[in-house]
Amino acid sequence: MKIGIVGLGFVGLSLTSVLASGGYRTIGIDIDKKRCEKISNGNSPFFEPGLEKTLRNGLKKKLTISNDFSLLNDCDFIFVAVGTPQSANGTIDLSMIKKSIRSVGKTLHKNNKNPIILVKSTVVPGTMKNTILPILEKSSDKKAGKDFGLISNPEFLQESSAIRDTKFPHVVVLGGYQTKYMRKTKKFFEKLHPKIPIIITNHQTAEMIKYANNSFLATKISFINQLSSICQSIPGANIDDIAKTIGLDPRIGKLFLNAGPGYGGSCLPKDMKALINFATKSRIKPILLNAVEEINIKQLDQLVSLIKQQLGNISTKKITILGTAFKPDTDDVRDSVAIELIKKLLKRKARITVHDPKAIKNTMNIFGKRISYAKSINDALSKSHCVIITTQWKQYEHLNDNQIKYMTKKFIIDCRRILVKKELDAEYYAIGLGKEV
Ligand code: UGA
């Protein structure tokens, strides 16, 4: 069996590496030649725990990385995992997936194996039937369901645990028609992930499941963030005790109740926007989804207000940001709340210094010389008027009085309450904690 994967980002490269290291004959395709060269040499283009090890393991077996789509000619399964970013008006941008699907279609023309195309990319309901299927049939001159299979296969992996999630997903969703292709795909996944539930449904439901999943996660975060704002007005109230307790109720569950500066990353914000747009076009007023987004935006605004309230005029004040990655254990800064915060503070002419264990290069690509980049936490704090802990990196939990003593003003805003027990010699504010009066 030969498996092709198109698009070597977080989803595609994790799948490629896991399949190849599991001994499958695997072809990873990406249009970016440089990226392919890097991956072929065993180096990941981004930081993801465990990825390089799995990739290198795969490269020792039967893995080829290339920008040449014709290598897909004799594949049995072809996964498409290219990005579907947000366009300027908030709707989903399908240009990359259309292009890849066209290229895959051309290879189908020569493929005599009746291959199965699985679309992992997040697409709004109706895209498989109305866009992807017609492009594939036209470019291959073949019929879906007869000459090849087409299946929606949404992905639920999280960055920072991509390898684990690829090896052990909580569910496999297969959307499409009940054909021999569906039966073959089910068998493939039963072997790959024994004991994992497989949900078989139609294309549009599979597409909607992905949005349901991400929008529910965003809702949980905005819910706890709204409560955390209320807690801040109750002296002594603690959002973590509340989250821990309600999380013990199995109907609620403990995950995704960690209050913070708002959700970011390359998925939740753009998927929320795409779903809101899709609902509006379908003449459904997305009242709840709009509120979830609004709370997320307010969370950051409140942070800026607190800084202004405590520092007065912030122009020329040195403000330290600890963590620019959108979450720990990644170097990804796409739609990171810390990046948005820096933009807002720069508009008010603050002098920004950032520290991040992994994401400095990506942060530099955004801000260049407009901000300073500290190599150590101590350098980041020296002569600072305020430090904001935005990303919950482990190393920030060890911050101590010795490190903050060279701050010009010892003012800490802890977005993740990681220093709450430390009783540091500083003015300390934390999201979700009501200040004792
Ligand atoms: C998210 C989903 O969790 C994945 O299931 C999904 O497959 C992926 O999007 C996708 O669609 O590709 P990811 O973007 O890696 O995964 O990030 P999350 O772990 O969901 O975190 C998103 C944001 O929410 C981060 O800014 C994080 O700090 C924030 N968050 C998360 C909180 O503020 N509190 C929490 O309790 C959890």
Side-chain angles (χ1 to χ4, degrees):
M1 178 183 304
K2 190 173 165 191
I3 303 175
I5 294 104
V6 177
L8 299 178
F10 278 97
V11 172
L13 186 54
S14 301
L15 181 63
T16 303
S17 307
V18 167
L19 290 176
S21 72
Y24 287 94
R25 255 178 85 208
T26 313
I27 308 286
I29 302 282
D30 198 288
I31 49 165
D32 184 338
K33 207 173 169 193
K34 274 203 181 128
R35 175 175 278 243
C36 289
E37 274 164 18
K38 200 167 179 184
I39 297 171
S40 299
N41 289 327
N43 300 314
S44 167
F46 43 81
F47 171 70
E48 176 64 37
L51 175 59
E52 277 189 353
K53 194 174 155 222
T54 316
L55 169 67
R56 287 174 190 178
N57 206 346
L59 285 166
K60 284 188 210 140
K61 298 184 178 171
K62 286 172 268 177
L63 170 60
T64 309
I65 303 288
S66 173
N67 64 342
D68 179 3
F69 276 78
S70 74
L71 295 180
L72 299 173
N73 279 350
D74 58 343
C75 279
D76 299 271
F77 289 97
I78 301 169
F79 289 88
V80 179
V82 297
T84 48
Q86 190 182 310
S87 51
N89 64 6
T91 56
I92 188 167
D93 175 0
L94 294 175
S95 55
M96 266 195 276
I97 188 151
K98 283 183 187 167
K99 200 171 158 206
S100 322
I101 286 291
R102 214 165 281 128
S103 307
V104 170
K106 282 182 194 152
T107 74
L108 287 190
H109 191 67
K110 294 188 191 131
N111 192 329
N112 298 321
K113 275 191 163 176
N114 297 110
I116 300 173
I117 322 301
L118 295 109
V119 176
K120 286 210 151 289
S121 308
T122 302
V123 290
V124 289
T127 309
M128 287 293 275
K129 265 191 177 170
N130 305 329
T131 308
I132 293 177
L133 188 140
I135 295 178
L136 267 180
E137 289 191 335
K138 192 168 173 225
S139 50
S140 65
D141 203 18
K142 288 189 173 178
K143 239 21 242 125
K146 184 172 159 272
D147 308 312
F148 65 90
L150 179 62
I151 290 179
S152 303
N153 176 224
E155 178 58 56
F156 304 101
L157 70 74
Q158 278 176 270
E159 287 183 27
S160 80
S161 57
I163 294 298
R164 192 186 61 212
D165 295 349
T166 303
K167 283 184 180 163
F168 311 105
H170 63 274
V171 70
V172 171
V173 175
L174 303 177
Y177 296 98
Q178 309 301 317
T179 58
K180 61 176 180 184
Y181 297 109
M182 183 62 90
R183 287 191 288 280
K184 187 174 169 190
T185 307
K186 185 170 174 258
K187 267 198 193 134
F188 168 76
F189 277 106
E190 276 168 349
K191 190 168 165 234
L192 186 65
H193 305 303
K195 296 196 186 127
I196 302 297
I198 298 180
I199 305 292
I200 297 184
T201 182
N202 54 36
H203 283 302
Q204 52 279 34
T205 308
E207 292 165 321
M208 193 58 190
I209 285 172
K210 173 68 191 179
Y211 284 98
N213 216 91
N214 273 2
S215 60
F216 190 76
L217 294 174
T219 304
K220 264 188 126 175
I221 299 168
S222 278
F223 170 80
I224 205 71
N225 282 343
Q226 173 111 82
L227 289 202
S228 84
S229 300
I230 300 173
C231 282
Q232 277 161 227
S233 68
I234 310 170
N238 182 322
I239 194 64
D240 286 330
D241 287 350
I242 294 168
K244 193 166 106 190
T245 315
I246 63 170
L248 288 172
D249 184 331
R251 292 168 302 176
I252 297 175
K254 64 179 181 184
L255 301 178
F256 275 67
L257 289 177
N258 188 12
Y263 57 80
S266 65
C267 302
L268 297 194
K270 72 126 176 134
D271 288 351
M272 281 296 293
K273 283 215 164 55
L275 183 57
I276 287 172
N277 263 290
F278 183 76
T280 310
K281 272 190 194 148
S282 316
R283 304 224 181 103
I284 304 295
K285 218 172 166 187
I287 305 167
L288 176 63
L289 302 176
N290 277 330
V292 168
E293 259 209 328
E294 201 181 319
I295 292 167
N296 205 47
I297 294 164
K298 285 258 159 62
Q299 206 61 5
L300 187 55
D301 290 344
Q302 279 176 23
L303 210 53
V304 177
S305 300
L306 176 63
I307 300 166
K308 279 201 300 201
Q309 188 190 319
Q310 292 302 313
L311 296 185
N313 183 0
I314 61 173
S315 77
T316 76
K317 298 256 164 68
K318 173 173 171 178
I319 298 180
T320 304
I321 308 285
L322 293 186
T324 53
F326 85 99
K327 66 176 181 181
D329 289 324
T330 179
D331 61 0
D332 195 346
V333 297
R334 287 175 293 172
D335 257 325
S336 162
V337 177
I339 299 293
E340 283 313 303
L341 175 64
I342 296 169
K343 285 182 184 164
K344 281 182 190 281
L345 296 174
L346 281 179
K347 267 196 191 144
R348 291 166 179 83
K349 306 220 165 12
R351 285 184 297 127
I352 305 292
T353 298
V354 299
H355 176 273
D356 191 286
K358 294 282 178 202
I360 289 299
K361 198 168 154 247
N362 287 336
T363 311
M364 274 180 179
N365 289 341
I366 299 176
F367 294 108
K369 288 183 178 153
R370 287 189 292 149
I371 64 172
S372 307
Y373 306 90
K375 285 214 167 70
S376 69
I377 300 175
N378 287 9
D379 284 350
L381 293 175
S382 167
K383 298 201 175 91
S384 177
H385 293 86
C386 165
V387 54
I388 307 158
I389 303 168
T390 33
T391 315
Q392 200 165 350
W393 284 101
K394 269 262 168 277
Q395 36 274 74
Y396 301 150
E397 289 172 15
H398 307 298
L399 211 73
N400 56 44
D401 279 327
N402 243 340
Q403 288 178 295
I404 60 171
K405 75 178 171 202
Y406 296 111
M407 288 179 76
T408 302
K409 182 176 160 69
K410 292 182 202 160
F411 172 41
I412 302 175
I413 302 179
D414 182 354
C415 296
R416 298 292 182 178
R417 299 164 303 286
I418 54 178
L419 302 175
V420 67
K421 295 209 172 94
K422 289 234 156 153
E423 298 189 357
L424 295 173
D425 174 26
E427 212 175 314
Y428 178 76
Y429 283 81
I431 284 180
L433 298 185
K435 250 192 163 349
E436 302 272 10
V437 277

